[in-house]
Amino acid sequence: MIASMDAAVCNPSLGPSSSSSCYVSSRPSFCPDLRRSSVRLSSEVFKVKIGRLERSLCRSSGNKLSAVIASASQTSVSDPISTPSRNDLSDSLKKSNEASLILIRHGESLWNEKNLFTGSVDVPLTKKGVEEAIQAGKRISNIPVDMIYTSSLIRAQMTAMLAMTEHRQQKVPIILHDENERARTWGRIFSEETKKQSIPVVTAWQLNERMYGELQGLNKQETVERYGKEQVHEWRRSYDIPPPNGESLAMCAQRAVTYFCDEIEPQLFIGKNVMIAAHGNSLRSIIMYLDKLTTQEVISLELSTGVPLLYIFKEGRFVRRGSPVGPTEAGVYAYTGKLAQYRQKLDEMSH
Ligand SMILES: O=C(O)[C@H](O)COP(=O)(O)O
């Protein structure tokens, strides 16, 4: 069952037993090297629909994970703002290996509004897109966020930042600049307390929208009239047929899913709650990986702008919890003990 991923598809408020109302992907992390890592993973053997994809995309993840764990008490590239101590780390590993993962496609951009192919062109949000991002923030305002990943494009970054203005944690999202030594040095923070009140935001071009090649800047409707509905649908939704001089979804997945496996999944393993603000196609490829969709199934996967999706990463598996409909949505918190405790703490703090 594959469908458009918005609130209408899934009703997580029905709680953990609502699997009939919600497409739940209970999958093991299938990066092969991660299974051999020192973190205990389920020994159950799962059939993997997109084995070739996972093998080619996730090869290096085990090394990365070991590196994250080994360096967690020192400076970590992906978490220079708030580095867990070795004790914190082993505690979080012992506790549950559980974390939440929020995926959010950027709000409406000025070129979405004009119905233009955008791809790698860096276009900002419309007013409606700004509002969508704020609304998305309200919907996830009670879900913990320790790390944010965005693409290098302004529409995803605006969305992440605007969404965080609504967050109850009230930590400050801070963009990490890693482009050169000077950027790293000049962006340093010298107060441990301030670091604790910050959320690192990592920007990565690998999460960018697929490069739409010679379609970039063309009107989608006019392109249909010129090349025909079928041809345009093939360019937009087929798995491995690229638009002229652009990236196919497979090519986009090659970079986006590899990045997810190498950089993001290790953070989830050590218990970090992660939000990713990215794009229709980079997120479609990541969802394909998380939900083990086939190359046929992913064709009908559509993501709306500004709609957050929640996954729980637990014992090495991703479970999709749908799209939180509001900040008090019970089912989301009922699902895991850790989230329930977090929610309780937030409530206590505000009383
Ligand atoms: O890049 C674009 O034009 C859109 O953000 C995604 O376009 P699509 O729905 O045609 O893939």
Side-chain angles (χ1 to χ4, degrees), residues 53 56-57 119-120 151 153 155 204-213 216 235-243 245-261 278-289 298 303:
L53 178 71
S56 61
L57 298 181
S120 302
S151 74
L153 300 173
R155 56 193 186 273
W205 70 269
Q206 292 90 335
L207 298 173
N208 283 8
E209 182 54 286
R210 73 197 282 190
M211 209 279 271
Y212 248 122
Q216 287 183 177
W235 284 333
R236 290 182 68 188
R237 289 294 170 265
S238 67
Y239 181 65
D240 47 13
I241 299 171
N245 289 317
E247 283 184 308
S248 63
L249 186 64
M251 291 153 87
C252 178
Q254 182 66 40
R255 59 173 162 85
V257 179
T258 302
Y259 185 83
F260 182 86
C261 291
H279 303 263
N281 292 295
S282 53
L283 289 175
R284 286 174 72 230
S285 67
I286 289 172
I287 290 169
M288 183 181 181
Y289 165 74
V298 77
L303 301 183

Side-chain angles (χ1 to χ4, degrees), residues 105 112 116-119 209 212 220 236-237 281:
R105 183 183 173 198
N112 289 144
L116 304 183
F117 283 102
T118 315
E209 182 54 286
Y212 248 122
K220 291 183 183 175
R236 290 182 68 188
R237 289 294 170 265
N281 292 295

Side-chain angles (χ1 to χ4, degrees), residues 34-312:
L34 285 176
R35 290 208 196 100
R36 291 195 293 271
S37 78
S38 56
V39 176
R40 195 183 68 75
L41 296 177
S42 165
S43 59
E44 206 176 339
V45 178
F46 285 78
K47 284 183 187 153
V48 178
K49 283 185 194 168
I50 50 172
R52 260 185 313 150
L53 178 71
E54 74 183 53
R55 276 195 301 280
S56 61
L57 298 181
C58 300
R59 218 169 284 136
S60 58
S61 296
N63 297 339
K64 188 76 190 185
L65 176 63
S66 311
V68 168
I69 292 171
S71 67
S73 64
Q74 303 152 19
T75 306
S76 155
V77 175
S78 53
D79 187 11
I81 288 183
S82 173
T83 304
S85 71
R86 202 173 281 282
N87 285 348
D88 288 350
L89 182 63
S90 59
D91 272 2
S92 82
L93 284 174
K94 264 186 252 149
K95 264 181 211 153
S96 60
N97 291 341
E98 181 187 302
S100 52
L101 170 67
I102 297 165
L103 307 182
I104 177 167
R105 183 183 173 198
H106 62 82
E108 183 195 69
S109 76
L110 282 155
W111 277 18
N112 289 144
E113 188 187 37
K114 290 180 189 294
N115 204 23
L116 304 183
F117 283 102
T118 315
S120 302
V121 183
D122 204 354
V123 177
L125 300 184
T126 57
K127 273 191 186 166
K128 181 180 164 202
V130 168
E131 194 42 44
E132 283 175 340
I134 292 169
Q135 286 308 321
K138 289 193 172 128
R139 289 163 69 164
I140 56 160
S141 60
N142 279 327
I143 298 170
V145 176
D146 304 315
M147 298 273 303
I148 298 174
Y149 290 86
T150 79
S151 74
S152 63
L153 300 173
I154 193 77
R155 56 193 186 273
Q157 295 181 12
M158 284 176 82
T159 301
M161 294 303 189
L162 289 164
M164 289 314 288
T165 62
E166 297 296 323
H167 206 269
R168 268 179 89 184
Q169 248 173 343
Q170 293 187 338
K171 290 192 178 176
V172 179
I174 294 184
I175 296 185
L176 305 181
H177 286 279
D178 206 20
E179 50 272 21
N180 56 41
E181 191 48 39
R182 189 181 66 182
R184 276 188 289 277
T185 312
W186 287 20
R188 282 175 65 195
I189 298 170
F190 292 90
S191 156
E192 287 309 312
E193 193 44 42
T194 305
K195 281 184 198 171
K196 276 193 204 142
Q197 294 309 316
S198 309
I199 301 176
V201 181
V202 179
T203 60
W205 70 269
Q206 292 90 335
L207 298 173
N208 283 8
E209 182 54 286
R210 73 197 282 190
M211 209 279 271
Y212 248 122
E214 290 165 22
L215 300 186
Q216 287 183 177
L218 303 193
N219 181 283
K220 291 183 183 175
Q221 185 50 38
E222 286 168 15
T223 310
V224 167
E225 282 154 22
R226 182 160 172 202
Y227 295 98
K229 213 172 158 185
E230 270 177 33
Q231 174 64 84
V232 174
H233 187 261
E234 198 169 64
W235 284 333
R236 290 182 68 188
R237 289 294 170 265
S238 67
Y239 181 65
D240 47 13
I241 299 171
N245 289 317
E247 283 184 308
S248 63
L249 186 64
M251 291 153 87
C252 178
Q254 182 66 40
R255 59 173 162 85
V257 179
T258 302
Y259 185 83
F260 182 86
C261 291
D262 284 355
E263 305 294 332
I264 302 176
E265 206 164 328
Q267 297 295 335
L268 294 163
F269 261 103
I270 61 170
K272 293 282 174 90
N273 301 295
V274 171
M275 178 168 95
I276 305 176
H279 303 263
N281 292 295
S282 53
L283 289 175
R284 286 174 72 230
S285 67
I286 289 172
I287 290 169
M288 183 181 181
Y289 165 74
L290 298 176
D291 288 352
K292 297 192 293 172
L293 304 183
T294 64
T295 54
Q296 271 308 302
E297 286 170 326
V298 77
I299 290 174
S300 48
L301 175 64
E302 297 285 346
L303 301 183
S304 309
T305 51
V307 176
L309 296 170
L310 175 67
Y311 285 79
I312 302 295

